[in-house]
């Protein structure tokens, strides 16, 4: 059973999941610190290019199954029109309410 987004512990991560699920690119971008970085399956990617390709142009959606580390580590069923659905793990580094880095990959 998934965790309701409004019950996620970390407010910045909660806002990230909300932005992804509502396809709100402006809100997503506003959550990222200047110079934010990310990795997908262990490979660093350009955040803007990756988000456009993996979230916003293909209806990305996260259903969070569990959280740990104060809400900064999530296990989620992630789906999009390109890859279908997969079990994923997400790690967030948050500083002063902004995401400085996130990492995702298959769980």
């Amino acid at each position: 059973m998934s965790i309701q987004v409004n019950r996620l512990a970390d407010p910045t991560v909660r806002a990230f999941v909300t932005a992804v699920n509502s396809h709100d690119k402006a809100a997503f971008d506003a959550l990222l610190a200047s110079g934010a970085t990310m990795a997908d399956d262990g490979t660093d990617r350009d955040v803007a290019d990756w988000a456009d390709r993996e979230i916003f142009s293909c209806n990305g959606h996260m259903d969070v199954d569990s959280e740990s580390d104060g809400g900064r580590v999530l296990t989620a069923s992630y789906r999009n029109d390109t890859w279908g659905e997969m079990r994923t793990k997400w790690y967030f580094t948050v500083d002063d309410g902004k995401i400085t880095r996130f990492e995702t990959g298959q769980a």
Side-chain angles (χ1 to χ4, degrees):
M1 183 169 198
S2 63
I3 299 171
Q4 292 178 5
V5 175
N6 65 347
R7 295 191 177 203
L8 294 173
D10 186 279
T12 304
V13 173
R14 182 183 328 124
F16 178 95
V17 175
T18 299
V20 168
N21 289 352
S22 63
H23 307 112
D24 187 340
K25 187 173 179 344
F28 178 91
D29 290 343
L31 291 166
L32 301 177
S34 177
T37 62
M38 65 89 51
D40 184 4
D41 281 328
T43 301
D44 279 0
R45 306 284 185 194
D46 177 86
V47 176
D49 177 62
W50 183 89
D52 285 341
R53 193 171 16 87
E54 300 292 337
I55 299 171
F56 298 108
S57 69
C58 60
N59 300 308
H61 187 88
M62 299 172 73
D63 288 318
V64 179
D65 299 319
S66 66
E67 64 178 340
S68 59
D69 193 25
R72 293 192 177 173
V73 176
L74 306 178
T75 301
S77 294
Y78 185 78
R79 65 182 176 274
N80 66 29
D81 294 343
T82 303
W83 304 108
E85 187 166 329
M86 65 190 82
R87 187 169 168 83
T88 57
K89 196 86 161 182
W90 298 75
Y91 302 87
F92 295 89
T93 304
V94 178
D95 185 25
D96 220 7
K98 296 283 190 176
I99 297 169
T100 58
R101 181 170 178 81
F102 69 92
E103 299 179 22
T104 187
Q106 293 191 51

